Amino acid sequence: MNKIFEEVVQNIPNYTEFLTVDEMDASSRKLAEEYPNAVDLFEIGRTRENHPLYCLKIGEGSKNALMFGLPHPNEPIGAMMLEYFSRELASNETLRNELDYTWYIIKAWDADGTKLNEGWFKGPFTLYNYARNFFRPAGHQQVDWTFPIEYKKLKFNDSIPETTAMMELIDRIKPEFIYSLHNAGFGGAYWYITHETSEVYDELRQTAIKHGVPLSLGEPEAPFCEAYSPAIYQSLGIRQNYDYLEKYGVENPQEHINVGTCSADYAMEKYDSFTLLTELPYFYDERIKDLSESAISRQEAVLKSLAFSEESDAFILQTLEDIKECTSKDNPFRLALEAFTDNKEGNAATREMVLTDPTFARKATVAEEFDNLLVSKFYKMLSYGMLVRLSESELTKLKANPEVDAEKKAELERTYETALAHLKELSDRLEKEINYQVVPIQKLVAIQLECGLILAEHFQKNKVTK
């Protein structure tokens, strides 16, 4: 990496909290006012709650690059990177000239969902506080998973307003490079790319290692991920999910998929755009990188994870049924929980794969065992948090109603207490079983920024064959 980029990375402030949507919007307006010759601020559309989606256009380079934060509203690391990088671009003409891109930057794509996560943005950064204030929308309400697609028997054309706004921007600017700023919650660092680019793999991995964040070398986040190299995967679109369900015996996969595809898939198919995702954790345990043998087989580890997930889902589904008459159909927590516990076909496909694929017969690595037996429980804890927030949000509505239904109120209070007990019990258990560390925000921003600069520099120096 050249010296200009190194200086930019080294100057990242010591952030101690994440910015809210309103704070980011105010910062973008201020940046445009301060640097009118380099920065243009405009709306690409409005959210479902009518919040403006602001886009910063910075520089006048020969190629277009698109960067967006918070495609999932519980993933603000990228938004902080954009907060810093947008100011650096605006104030540093040498940096703009060196990169030679026209940059289009959206800090908070899912602004509505982000507001439902702001309860943990200022800390404390613990497993419990994160889960207690967590929100992630159902797939059909996710801004990066409702792009239109027709594939085999699957046809999806029900894009939400935020997706339509981004799609129109992509169609207008036809970006060569897209940086989709996601992040994981727990584990290690890993990457998704739309095209094999082996020349940069070691550099990408080294960015995480030198900042003290381990690589994620356990199970991939989806069973149909294709690894190009350790911790580096082919970008996911809905086609891979469809093919996976079809391969492992699910008839008519389209009946079990209620989402579209993602921005990376859409832009690659239409404009051959290269998309990078750098997935980073808030929390990690050193076991996520341990490739030594564990005491159990990989098959046993995955099946244990499945069993826990199914048991938890059964509890959540029964609870949702018990309070069905007490909750509104459009409650975002209810919609999310219904979607995230609708795993019957996917679980069946995974079980079939594990029982028939010989690669699962070997001993699991410590990383794979840790992923299956503990990290998977961390992610299920997030559903317990949303179950608490579902009953809590409905109780808040009832309190605002002078004609409170006493029976509904009592049922919701029971659900709230039960869900909170499950959340606390699992949280206490994981606090004892996981020796986790909280990654400083500055390091996370540095890794994401450096990875983006590595790819931008690579494209400057090489004519990439896609």
Side-chain angles (χ1 to χ4, degrees):
M1 180 175 292
N2 70 38
K3 289 184 179 180
I4 296 172
F5 297 164
E6 287 177 357
E7 289 178 5
V8 171
V9 173
Q10 288 168 1
N11 290 332
I12 296 169
N14 183 26
Y15 296 118
T16 58
E17 60 183 35
F18 296 103
L19 296 183
T20 65
V21 172
D22 289 343
E23 288 169 339
M24 285 186 278
D25 288 349
S27 176
S28 294
R29 289 191 294 268
K30 182 180 178 183
L31 190 68
E33 291 170 2
E34 286 183 44
Y35 299 95
N37 295 327
V39 180
D40 181 29
L41 181 68
F42 61 97
E43 285 187 26
I44 63 168
R46 293 260 168 169
T47 70
R48 283 154 289 170
E49 298 293 330
N50 201 36
H51 188 90
L53 289 173
Y54 289 119
C55 179
L56 290 162
K57 178 187 175 186
I58 305 178
E60 295 291 343
S62 63
K63 299 174 291 295
N64 289 335
L66 171 62
M67 306 174 81
F68 49 78
L70 291 157
H72 286 133
N74 59 298
E75 301 178 359
I77 294 170
M80 296 305 296
M81 190 278 275
L82 295 178
E83 178 67 23
Y84 171 71
F85 186 54
S86 58
R87 178 159 287 276
E88 281 296 300
L89 282 173
S91 62
N92 190 336
E93 184 178 1
T94 302
L95 175 63
R96 295 198 303 273
N97 292 338
E98 185 73 15
L99 287 164
D100 193 29
Y101 281 98
T102 300
W103 296 91
Y104 293 84
I105 295 173
I106 295 98
K107 294 178 186 175
W109 186 6
D110 187 355
D112 295 345
T114 300
K115 291 181 179 182
L116 293 176
N117 277 279
E118 290 175 352
W120 63 267
F121 278 15
K122 308 301 182 182
F125 298 113
T126 63
L127 302 186
Y128 175 79
N129 194 48
Y130 178 63
R132 179 65 179 83
N133 294 283
F134 173 89
F135 171 70
R136 187 184 182 102
H140 68 280
Q141 292 193 323
Q142 289 185 11
V143 299
D144 207 12
W145 281 105
T146 65
F147 282 80
I149 187 171
E150 291 190 13
Y151 180 65
K152 296 184 178 179
K153 296 180 181 179
L154 174 64
K155 292 184 179 181
F156 183 93
N157 195 30
D158 191 20
S159 300
I160 59 178
E162 296 90 333
T163 306
T164 299
M166 185 68 76
M167 184 165 52
E168 290 173 351
L169 179 64
I170 290 171
D171 289 341
R172 179 160 65 86
I173 68 174
K174 302 175 178 59
E176 176 178 287
F177 176 46
I178 298 176
Y179 202 174
S180 177
L181 291 155
H182 292 254
N183 65 259
F186 196 107
Y190 58 105
W191 294 263
Y192 288 108
I193 54 176
T194 43
H195 308 83
E196 286 194 80
T197 313
S198 58
E199 303 93 326
V200 302
Y201 294 169
D202 288 339
E203 273 192 280
L204 293 177
R205 286 187 285 251
Q206 190 57 36
T207 59
I209 293 168
K210 74 182 182 183
H211 287 289
V213 176
L215 302 180
S216 180
L217 300 175
E219 296 288 351
E221 66 174 284
F224 43 84
C225 287
E226 178 186 342
Y228 286 147
S229 186
I232 297 175
Y233 300 91
Q234 179 189 49
S235 290
L236 295 179
I238 206 61
R239 293 172 175 84
Q240 291 99 321
N241 191 2
Y242 187 108
D243 290 344
Y244 167 73
L245 294 174
E246 187 177 52
K247 179 179 179 180
Y248 289 102
V250 176
E251 294 185 11
N252 297 313
Q254 75 280 2
E255 296 178 3
H256 307 284
I257 298 173
N258 67 344
V259 300
T261 197
C262 62
S263 56
D265 193 26
Y266 177 83
M268 181 181 67
E269 285 293 312
K270 291 196 73 171
Y271 307 113
D272 204 26
S273 304
F274 185 102
T275 295
L276 167 69
L277 281 75
T278 301
E279 298 272 11
L280 298 169
Y282 306 116
F283 313 101
Y284 77 89
D285 181 302
E286 290 289 342
R287 283 173 285 183
I288 202 64
K289 65 177 182 179
D290 190 339
L291 297 181
S292 62
E293 271 193 2
S294 72
I296 63 175
S297 70
R298 188 181 176 205
Q299 180 187 89
E300 184 180 351
V302 176
L303 292 177
K304 283 185 175 182
S305 177
L306 265 180
F308 176 81
S309 179
E310 289 170 340
E311 179 184 351
S312 298
D313 286 350
F315 161 71
I316 293 169
L317 286 170
Q318 184 58 58
T319 303
L320 291 176
E321 180 63 27
D322 292 343
I323 60 171
K324 183 169 62 176
E325 300 304 319
C326 305
T327 58
S328 58
K329 292 180 180 179
D330 61 349
N331 185 299
F333 300 105
R334 172 176 166 173
L335 290 171
L337 288 165
E338 288 172 345
F340 295 150
T341 51
D342 184 18
N343 296 322
K344 184 177 180 181
E345 299 299 331
N347 288 344
T350 298
R351 186 170 278 105
E352 177 68 16
M353 177 185 70
V354 168
L355 294 174
T356 58
D357 186 336
T359 63
F360 286 86
R362 64 166 171 78
K363 289 289 187 183
T365 64
V366 170
E368 289 166 342
E369 180 187 41
F370 177 68
D371 236 336
N372 280 297
L373 303 190
L374 289 173
V375 176
S376 62
K377 290 182 174 64
F378 163 78
Y379 283 108
K380 191 54 66 176
M381 186 172 72
L382 306 182
S383 291
Y384 289 164
M386 286 200 291
L387 192 58
V388 173
R389 297 189 70 185
L390 168 60
S391 50
E392 185 177 49
S393 65
E394 294 293 345
L395 282 168
T396 300
K397 291 179 191 176
L398 285 180
K399 289 175 183 176
N401 183 353
E403 298 179 1
V404 173
D405 186 318
E407 195 171 315
K408 283 186 178 181
K409 183 173 181 288
E411 184 65 46
L412 286 168
E413 286 174 340
R414 282 193 295 271
T415 300
Y416 171 82
E417 295 296 337
T418 302
L420 189 62
H422 272 72
L423 173 60
K424 288 181 175 178
E425 180 184 0
L426 186 52
S427 173
D428 290 345
R429 177 179 169 187
L430 293 181
E431 287 283 352
K432 293 175 183 177
E433 297 183 7
I434 299 178
N435 182 27
Y436 72 89
Q437 298 181 49
V438 180
V439 187
I441 297 171
Q442 181 187 46
K443 290 182 180 292
L444 298 171
V445 169
I447 296 167
Q448 280 203 332
L449 177 54
E450 190 168 337
C451 289
L453 292 172
I454 286 169
L455 264 299
E457 185 177 38
H458 177 74
F459 293 148
Q460 293 285 39
K461 292 180 177 179
N462 301 275
K463 182 176 176 60
V464 180
T465 302
K466 300 178 181 177

